[in-house]
Amino acid sequence: MTHQPQIKIPATYMRGGTSKGVFFRLKDLPEACQTPGEARDKLLLRVIGSPDPYQKQIDGMGGATSSTSKTVILADPTQPDHDVDYLFGQVSIDKPFVDWSGNCGNLTAAVGAFAINSGFVAKERIPENGTCTVRIWQANIQKTIVAHVPITNGEVQETGDFELDGVTFPAAEVQVEFMDPADGEGSMFPTGNLVDDLEVPGVGILKATMINAGIPTIFVNAEDIGYKGTELQDDINSDPKALARFETIRAHGAVKMGLIQNIEEAANRQHTPKVAFVAKPSDYLSSSGKNIGAGDVDVLVRALSMGKLHHAMMGTAAVAIATASAVPGTLVNLAAGGGDRTHVTFGHPSGTLRVGAEAKEVDGQWTATKAIMSRSARVLMEGWVRVPGDSF
């Protein structure tokens, strides 16, 4: 039997926010993988080490969590006045599919740096010292994102003293603006309501805010499902019944949001929508041992990603949280004390995060104009990733 040798593909392994992923330039991919389809998906699955029935991704670059099973493809811009196209693929850990239905807000912080380092940004727009503004077209959701990347001596500055809960070491601050983050094709609240009664078999009728801003997200009250909002990962992820219950909530919410036609389709759309639960501020001990006081935050939020409670907060879900908090009457807004607000500081398992958002009501419809947050990013390794030649 003849075995195909491995091939090597230029790639960069980067941390962005509280996520990690393998970054590619579209033109560096094998020709068969430069267009969407089965070959590209198979390649990325093999790069990450999926599907893995052991759920460890030992034979790939993935880290066996939703935060570390990610891929990014950057290409020349297809939109005017943009520097780069950013396509995100969330790779399933134990199943053979790549979910292209949403964005990764955390890795967006790394996209700006990668775009500069890879020549997508014109040299005359990169200052010797200062900030380089990178206009990113997010191809999955067809939205503009603006990354403000610090530059020192003509190069991307990665080190610094900006601390981000959920990331061990400090780094340089990257400010990210999500422009017009609501779904441009429909209402920001797909059901037309700020709060719905969501009927979930085996769970009951839950109050839910379903929003499409940053990423489609279903918010429920923590107390309605037996939680306090101070839970850490093991409290949820070690409980198979709880995970199954959240997946049921997510599936029925997805149907009500019009994202899928029936609940069976949810199994092939793991990345979106997200499901999260909210509670009023309360003291708790973060996963790093840091004391979070009730006075440190406006609201508590716990969110699940790819079927597990996230160790911190997805960047796109943070946009959804901030946007929902800015709309009086949503569950997030009410848990945060109600009223008008342009920013929110929320508590997550690893600590806290402050996100700004602007929302306005026009002709009875709410829309978001901008959400902004600070993240950090760093190149971890660069060179080539190798995969067997018969992988795709």
Side-chain angles (χ1 to χ4, degrees):
M1 181 177 178
T2 302
H3 294 279
Q4 292 260 3
Q6 290 213 101
I7 63 170
K8 61 181 187 178
I9 304 167
T12 301
Y13 196 47
M14 294 192 73
R15 177 186 65 75
T18 55
S19 293
K20 292 191 292 187
V22 183
F23 283 61
F24 299 96
R25 295 187 302 179
L26 178 65
K27 64 182 181 181
D28 291 333
L29 295 178
E31 186 174 353
C33 304
Q34 291 187 15
T35 54
E38 183 180 8
R40 176 185 289 181
D41 286 5
K42 284 185 173 180
L43 171 67
L44 298 181
L45 283 161
R46 195 65 174 91
V47 166
I48 294 297
S50 294
D52 183 359
Y54 305 107
Q55 300 191 41
K56 302 298 181 185
Q57 294 178 325
I58 293 297
D59 200 28
M61 298 295 293
T65 69
S66 67
S67 302
T68 56
S69 189
K70 299 173 182 268
T71 56
V72 170
I73 300 172
L74 263 61
D76 290 331
T78 56
Q79 306 298 312
D81 301 320
H82 287 70
D83 298 299
V84 68
D85 274 17
Y86 158 38
L87 186 66
F88 168 68
Q90 177 75 57
V91 180
S92 176
I93 296 171
D94 58 347
K95 296 180 176 64
F97 76 91
V98 181
D99 195 330
W100 301 99
S101 66
N103 177 32
C104 176
N106 274 297
L107 288 185
T108 301
V111 169
F114 187 81
I116 294 170
N117 292 335
S118 300
F120 289 103
V121 181
K123 288 185 177 180
E124 60 268 22
R125 292 196 39 243
I126 305 171
E128 183 65 17
N129 292 284
T131 301
C132 181
T133 299
V134 183
R135 290 183 60 83
I136 301 162
W137 179 250
Q138 214 301 320
N140 303 77
I141 60 174
Q142 304 284 290
K143 293 288 183 180
T144 297
I145 302 173
V146 181
H148 301 277
V149 182
I151 303 292
T152 300
N153 297 328
E155 297 184 348
V156 173
Q157 178 189 331
E158 296 179 298
T159 58
D161 56 9
F162 174 72
E163 295 187 355
L164 179 65
D165 285 341
V167 178
T168 306
F169 304 106
E173 180 178 2
V174 178
Q175 196 174 75
V176 182
E177 295 179 85
F178 298 82
M179 312 303 294
D180 186 26
D183 183 358
E185 297 182 357
S187 173
M188 189 165 79
F189 297 97
T191 67
N193 303 315
L194 301 183
V195 179
D196 281 280
D197 287 328
L198 178 63
E199 186 172 352
V200 183
V203 179
I205 298 177
L206 300 174
K207 294 294 182 183
T209 288
M210 291 174 276
I211 188 171
N212 194 349
I215 201 164
T217 306
I218 303 157
F219 292 103
V220 298
N221 288 319
E223 62 181 1
D224 291 348
I225 51 174
Y227 294 114
K228 297 179 180 178
T230 58
E231 287 76 15
L232 302 184
Q233 276 193 296
D234 285 349
D235 297 325
I236 305 295
N237 294 343
S238 61
D239 186 346
K241 290 184 179 179
L243 294 176
R245 186 164 61 247
F246 278 116
E247 181 58 21
T248 303
I249 295 170
R250 193 184 76 89
H252 283 82
V255 172
K256 193 145 188 172
M257 293 177 79
L259 298 173
I260 56 177
Q261 296 301 310
N262 56 72
I263 60 171
E264 288 75 21
E265 294 178 34
N268 291 320
R269 189 184 172 120
Q270 292 184 342
H271 183 52
T272 59
K274 303 301 186 188
V275 60
F277 53 99
V278 300
K280 293 180 180 179
S282 177
D283 298 343
Y284 70 97
L285 193 66
S286 77
S287 55
S288 66
K290 180 180 178 181
N291 285 300
I292 308 298
D296 298 332
V297 297
D298 301 308
V299 63
L300 300 177
V301 190
R302 301 295 188 263
L304 283 83
S305 179
M306 301 292 283
K308 298 288 182 71
L309 186 71
H310 197 275
H311 76 285
M313 185 55 63
M314 305 80 80
T316 48
V319 172
I321 293 164
T323 304
S325 76
V327 179
T330 68
L331 295 187
V332 183
N333 174 269
L334 293 173
D340 297 323
R341 58 175 61 247
T342 57
H343 59 81
V344 66
T345 300
F346 60 86
H348 56 74
S350 294
T352 68
L353 181 64
R354 177 186 168 99
V355 186
E358 298 173 7
K360 61 182 180 181
E361 189 176 16
V362 180
D363 297 329
Q365 294 283 334
W366 281 95
T367 186
T369 55
K370 184 195 302 188
I372 186 167
M373 72 181 78
S374 289
R375 314 304 270 169
S376 62
R378 189 169 75 85
V379 172
L380 303 178
M381 183 178 288
E382 53 194 345
W384 299 270
V385 65
R386 293 183 182 242
V387 294
D390 58 358
S391 297
F392 53 92

